[in-house]
């Protein structure tokens, strides 16, 4: 597969051509960037109250449009007319560290690569990943149980997610290099959301670029070994994956896809599992409902979680979905229009940067009454029946819909099973966790919880 740049180019539209869209571009150069960083949810809510569901803003050095609500999500994410480029949207943010990750490819080329990667997410390999996740989670929960009391949830969850990724993505026998690879990878992920976007020495971005070099060296050395030996982990699966014509993915493709997959999984799982447990800590009733569900699975405390048992956890799935509604790990998604289009009566020229916003849509009170309340019952079949199919989009939708969605549910349910079977979780009276919602939701103070064995 060739390493080609997209077949289309773009010129950002002249400023005047967006003047008919209501909005406010803020200060010269910095535009609205600082306001968005300070309070992303409040900023969008204030603007939508003032301007409606389409408005003009100036973010990260460019005039762009924010398109809000389920119809906007459907137009941009489902993209029936193939007029929104993800390469030219996400590329500005992730292109330096994760070039040619799946989400950064477009249209026909994207479809070919997505099909090749899909083999790694079929049920047989997923069962192998579950075996590793299960062992790792059981071991960690046992450690937490041995030291009950106060704990900072976010860093503990981050470490767990990293350790689980090392075994399920790279293989249980990765060996002593694991710490070095993990550090390189953490540097890349941190750099992907760094404010300074150039690799100036001493910055997070420079550490990220060095991390990428280390990861490239590791994968390049390992690919021939994995091709020969095989293996059950995700990396070994990709080393065997082929295109439609039977050709193996190239070394460069595997490097790009693996780096991206690890990034796509890491912060999203850390964020969502933290908010999931945080909500259960604040809601003892739902916590007990989920614990009862786990008990009814009838799995002995020291027995592994089987793949089929995960289907018998509908309440846990609903609660996880509700956590994803409240704090979507990808709060906004960028695209660039490659053709002129219209939305809500506005003509919008090719080249315009647009963003859709799950965080806003997930809190629209006409769709989600009392939007700040945690209520997993919003996800019963009945409650969902008449809801717009793009009202809940934590995993996106359309061609780029998250490829790791089932992996995420699997890890969440496996975690719920071990955690709730062994521990109860609560918050100190009067304590409200303080979340930062952008670029990826994360509790500023780490989220203090209290664990007790059950
Ligand atoms: C709760 C956890 C997760 C959330 C909320 C999440 C969210 C998302 C979203 C919103 C997108 C689409 C972005 C867009 O269209 O602009 C996406 C894409 C993707 N995600 Fe996830 N993700 C999660 C976990 C994972 C995991 C565990 C993996 C891998 C094992 C993964 C792999 C991917 C890949 C490969 C894509 C690109 C798909 C494509 O472009 O075709 N994600 N994810």
């Amino acid at each position: 597969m060739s390493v080609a740049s997209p077949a289309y180019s773009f010129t950002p539209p002249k400023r005047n051509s967006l003047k008919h869209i209501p909005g406010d571009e803020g200060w010269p150069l910095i535009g609205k960037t600082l306001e968005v960083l300070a309070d992303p949810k409040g900023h969008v809510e204030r603007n939508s109250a003032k301007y409606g569901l389409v408005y003009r803003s100036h973010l990260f050095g460019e005039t762009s449009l924010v398109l809000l609500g389920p119809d906007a999500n459907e137009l941009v994410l489902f993209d029936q007319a193939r007029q929104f480029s993800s390469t030219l949207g996400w590329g500005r943010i992730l292109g330096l560290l994760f070039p040619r990750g799946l989400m950064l490819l477009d249209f026909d080329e994207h479809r070919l690569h997505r099909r090749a990667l899909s083999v790694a997410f079929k049920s047989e390999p997923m069962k192998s990943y579950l075996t590793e996740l299960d062992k790792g989670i059981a071991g960690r929960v046992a450690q937490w149980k041995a030291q009950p009391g106060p704990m900072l949830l976010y860093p503990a969850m981050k470490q767990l997610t990293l350790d689980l990724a090392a075994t399920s993505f790279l293989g249980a026998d990765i060996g002593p290099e694991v710490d070095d690879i993990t550090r390189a990878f953490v540097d890349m992920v941190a750099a992907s959301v760094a404010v300074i976007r150039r690799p100036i020495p001493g910055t997070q971005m420079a550490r990220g670029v060095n991390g990428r070099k280390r990861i490239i060296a590791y994968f390049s050395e390992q690919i021939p070994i994995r091709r020969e030996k095989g293996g059950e982990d995700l990396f070994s699966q990709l080393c065997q994956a082929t295109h439609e014509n039977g050709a193996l993915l190239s070394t460069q493709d595997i490097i790009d896809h693996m780096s991206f997959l690890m990034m796509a999984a890491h912060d999203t799982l850390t964020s969502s599992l933290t908010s999931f447990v945080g909500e259960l800590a604040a809601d003892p009733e739902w916590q007990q409902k989920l614990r009862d569900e786990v008990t009814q699975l009838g799995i002995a405390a020291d027995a592994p979680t089987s793949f089929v048992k995960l289907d018998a956890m509908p309440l846990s799935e609903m609660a996880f979905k509700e956590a994803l509604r409240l704090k979507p790990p990808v709060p906004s998604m960028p695209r660039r229009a490659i053709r002129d289009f219209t939305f809500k009566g506005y003509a919008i020229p090719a080249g315009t940067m647009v963003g859709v916003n799950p965080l806003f849509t997930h809190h629209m009170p006409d769709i989600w009454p009392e939007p700040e309340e945690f209520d997993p019952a919003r996800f019963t079949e009945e409650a969902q029946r008449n809801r717009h199919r793009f009202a809940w989009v934590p995993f996106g939708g359309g061609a780029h819909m998250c490829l790791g969605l089932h992996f995420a549910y699997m890890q969440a349910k496996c975690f719920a099973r071990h955690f709730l079977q062994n521990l109860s979780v609560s918050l100190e009276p009067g304590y409200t966790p303080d979340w930062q919602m952008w670029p990826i939701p994360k509790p500023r103070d780490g989220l203090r919880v209290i664990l007790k064995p059950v």
Side-chain angles (χ1 to χ4, degrees), residues 21 121 145 174 261 348 353 414 427 437:
I21 317 271
F121 294 91
K145 194 176 182 176
I174 166 170
L261 277 165
I348 300 167
M353 268 305 274
C414 182
L427 303 177
M437 296 304 277

Side-chain angles (χ1 to χ4, degrees), residues 144-171:
W144 292 352
K145 194 176 182 176
Q147 295 174 325
M151 182 177 87
L152 279 184
L153 184 60
Y154 183 80
M157 206 60 99
K158 196 169 173 76
Q159 191 58 50
L160 173 61
T161 305
L162 264 180
D163 295 342
L164 294 175
T167 50
S168 59
F169 281 40
L170 300 177

Side-chain angles (χ1 to χ4, degrees), residues 399-454:
H400 287 283
M401 182 151 179
C402 179
L403 189 58
L405 173 161
H406 296 296
F407 190 108
Y409 283 129
M410 184 169 84
Q411 182 159 329
K413 287 180 181 178
C414 182
F415 178 81
R417 181 248 143 157
H418 287 288
F419 185 77
L420 295 169
Q421 201 170 14
N422 287 285
L423 290 161
S424 80
V425 61
S426 58
L427 303 177
E428 275 165 29
Y431 168 65
T432 312
D434 173 23
W435 282 79
Q436 143 194 327
M437 296 304 277
W438 204 87
I440 291 182
K442 149 184 182 178
R444 286 194 180 88
D445 60 354
L447 212 166
R448 294 195 312 275
V449 293
I450 301 163
L451 300 182
K452 280 197 199 121
V454 290

Side-chain angles (χ1 to χ4, degrees), residues 265-284:
H266 178 61
D267 270 354
T268 52
L269 280 169
T270 305
S271 172
S272 57
L273 288 170
T274 304
S275 70
F276 179 46
V277 176
E279 294 300 343
L280 295 180
D283 191 329

Side-chain angles (χ1 to χ4, degrees), residues 3 17 84 96 99 113 147 189 199 204 206 219 229 286 290 303 329 335 365 378 426 449 452:
V3 183
S17 63
F84 297 105
L96 188 59
H113 281 259
Q147 295 174 325
V189 174
Q204 226 167 28
F219 285 145
K229 266 197 346 195
W286 268 102
L290 265 54
R335 297 286 192 271
R378 299 181 204 267
S426 58
V449 293
K452 280 197 199 121

Side-chain angles (χ1 to χ4, degrees), residues 122-132 307-308 410:
K122 296 222 180 317
S123 65
E124 277 317 304
M126 288 284 276
K127 284 179 192 162
S128 310
Y129 311 150
L130 178 61
T131 308
E132 291 306 324
F307 202 56
V308 280
M410 184 169 84

